[in-house]
Amino acid sequence: MIDTDAQTAYAVFWAAYVIAFAVFFYMMKKLFRFLPLYGLRTLLLAALVAVLLTPVESPELAGWWIPAWLFGGYELILGDADNAGRAWLNLGIGGLAMLLVWILDLVRYRLSRR
């Protein structure tokens, strides 16, 4: 069982992570504004969302989620291929989901430009 201090630290971590991601996303959106193609700009932003926001559940504690890129990289460095593979699988699924969102956004963009 996890105590209240650990739950609070977990909540503070995710709040700080989401706020930092929002600031980073806004900065990257301003940077990508100079790219000439709408599809390329949105593809890069979708990849950013998929890589940084895809979670994986902790194998040690049920119900605790970790950013998949962080967990997968750490487990890869430690040599635990099973857990790293689980994280990279989650990243692949998150990437496919964002690819679908990106395609739907391109369709929306194309229809609204007519």
Side-chain angles (χ1 to χ4, degrees):
M1 191 71 187
I2 298 301
D3 61 350
T4 307
D5 289 339
Q7 289 285 13
T8 303
Y10 179 72
V12 167
F13 163 76
W14 274 109
Y17 190 80
V18 168
I19 290 169
F21 174 79
V23 170
F24 184 67
F25 185 82
Y26 176 74
M27 290 170 37
M28 294 306 287
K29 189 172 180 179
K30 291 291 184 183
L31 180 67
F32 293 157
R33 178 181 58 186
F34 298 109
L35 294 174
L37 298 173
Y38 175 79
L40 180 62
R41 286 192 307 261
T42 55
L43 177 64
L44 290 173
L45 291 173
L48 186 71
V49 168
V51 168
L52 294 179
L53 290 185
T54 301
V56 64
E57 190 171 13
S58 171
E60 284 85 24
L61 218 49
W64 279 43
W65 295 84
I66 306 163
W69 67 269
L70 184 65
F71 180 75
Y74 182 71
E75 292 298 327
L76 199 61
I77 290 170
L78 291 178
D80 188 0
D82 291 337
N83 280 332
R86 200 166 52 90
W88 298 121
L89 176 68
N90 278 18
L91 275 173
I93 293 169
L96 287 175
M98 284 309 299
L99 183 65
L100 177 63
V101 169
W102 177 68
I103 290 170
L104 291 173
D105 181 57
L106 287 180
V107 169
R108 179 207 54 86
Y109 180 75
R110 175 75 177 212
L111 291 176
S112 68
R113 299 259 324 193
R114 288 186 178 186

